[in-house]
């Protein structure tokens, strides 16, 4: 936990792996998988990201063996495939999660983000609007929805969305991000 607090996610993952190997429980595997997932999301180098993704999947696979309906684990595991040589496997897993739970916030958010990255802005808007219905206070989703509107060419909706984000969260970094996008719309 101290390594996590210090932002040393790969070290936290290593210690969680040691604990999981010793305790050999679903809870320990889940903790190790989550720690490796966090390290994976912050990794900058492709090789390190690949290695951390593989470790994440190995621990999450053990969790899913014991608890196949754990959609959070399945969603996180799917995201490790996106940057691998099998990105469609990740997309298919996300679709499975949404088929089972159409209101799964993590899967909706990730599908929206991936749609933006692949320049499928209409699809991104659809997923993110669905997310906002499920959780109107999902700030990242609200912000990404504005980005999707902006990239689709709908400046009116984008401006309204960024203004809404500013009303929902007074965190200075969120305010600055929304202001930056609003300036881009001018």
């Amino acid at each position: 936990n101290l390594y996590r607090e210090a932002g040393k996610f790969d070290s936290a993952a290593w210690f969680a792996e040691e604990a999981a190997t010793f305790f050999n429980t679903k809870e320990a595997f889940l903790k190790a998988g989550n720690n490796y997932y966090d390290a994976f999301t912050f990794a900058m180098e492709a090789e390190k990201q690949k290695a951390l993704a593989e470790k994440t999947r190995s621990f999450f696979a053990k969790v899913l063996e014991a608890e196949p309906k754990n959609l959070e684990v399945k969603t996180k595991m799917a995201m490790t495939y996106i940057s691998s040589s099998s990105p469609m496997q990740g997309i298919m897993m996300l679709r499975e999660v949404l088929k089972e739970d159409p209101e799964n916030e993590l899967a909706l958010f990730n599908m929206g983000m991936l749609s933006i990255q692949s320049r499928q802005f209409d699809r991104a808007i659809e997923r993110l609007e669905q997310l906002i219905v499920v959780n109107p206070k999902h700030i990242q989703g609200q912000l990404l929805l504005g980005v999707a509107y902006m990239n689709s060419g709908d400046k009116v909706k984008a401006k309204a969305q960024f203004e809404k984000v500013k009303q929902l969260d007074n965190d200075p970094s969120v305010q600055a991000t929304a202001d930056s996008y609003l300036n881009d719309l001018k």
Side-chain angles (χ1 to χ4, degrees):
N1 290 337
L2 292 174
Y3 281 108
R4 286 183 57 74
E5 290 171 22
K8 303 290 184 191
F9 299 109
D10 49 351
S11 296
W14 184 86
F15 280 104
E17 177 180 8
E18 292 296 305
T21 303
F22 178 78
F23 291 112
N24 200 33
T25 64
K26 180 186 71 166
E27 293 75 20
F29 296 141
L30 179 61
K31 187 169 188 170
N34 279 326
N35 278 293
Y36 271 112
Y37 182 77
D38 290 341
F40 157 77
T41 61
F42 285 102
M44 295 294 164
E45 301 160 15
E47 283 303 310
K48 186 172 187 174
Q49 192 178 49
K50 180 181 175 187
L52 293 168
E54 288 173 9
K55 286 280 196 175
T56 301
R57 285 193 295 271
S58 71
F59 285 106
F60 281 166
K62 292 177 182 182
V63 173
L64 289 173
E65 253 180 55
E67 194 178 329
K69 297 286 185 188
N70 189 325
L71 299 182
E72 180 180 348
V73 166
K74 197 170 194 176
T75 300
K76 288 179 178 179
M77 189 173 183
M79 292 306 292
T80 67
Y81 282 110
I82 301 301
S83 59
S84 75
S85 59
S86 309
M88 281 311 294
Q89 187 171 355
I91 298 294
M92 297 308 291
M93 287 178 78
L94 288 172
R95 287 180 181 160
E96 288 173 19
V97 168
L98 288 172
K99 185 176 182 183
E100 194 162 328
D101 177 12
E103 295 186 348
N104 187 290
E105 291 181 37
L106 187 56
L108 286 169
F109 176 77
N110 285 323
M111 287 294 274
M113 178 183 59
L114 293 169
S115 295
I116 288 173
Q117 289 174 354
S118 63
R119 305 192 58 76
Q120 299 175 33
F121 302 118
D122 290 341
R123 194 75 176 130
I125 290 167
E126 180 184 323
R127 295 290 192 193
L128 294 168
E129 283 178 344
Q130 192 176 356
L131 171 62
I132 301 313
V133 168
V134 172
N135 181 0
K137 295 182 192 255
H138 196 291
I139 299 303
Q140 289 176 306
Q142 293 276 9
L143 193 60
L144 264 188
L145 181 56
V147 171
Y149 285 142
M150 185 172 76
N151 284 306
S152 73
D154 194 335
K155 291 184 178 185
V156 173
K157 280 188 177 178
K159 182 178 180 188
Q161 190 62 35
F162 293 130
E163 293 292 348
K164 182 177 184 179
V165 168
K166 289 182 60 139
Q167 292 172 0
L168 287 171
D169 192 332
N170 59 5
D171 179 281
S173 63
V174 172
Q175 294 287 318
T177 302
D179 284 337
S180 173
Y181 283 123
L182 285 167
N183 285 336
D184 290 346
L185 290 169
K186 291 180 181 175

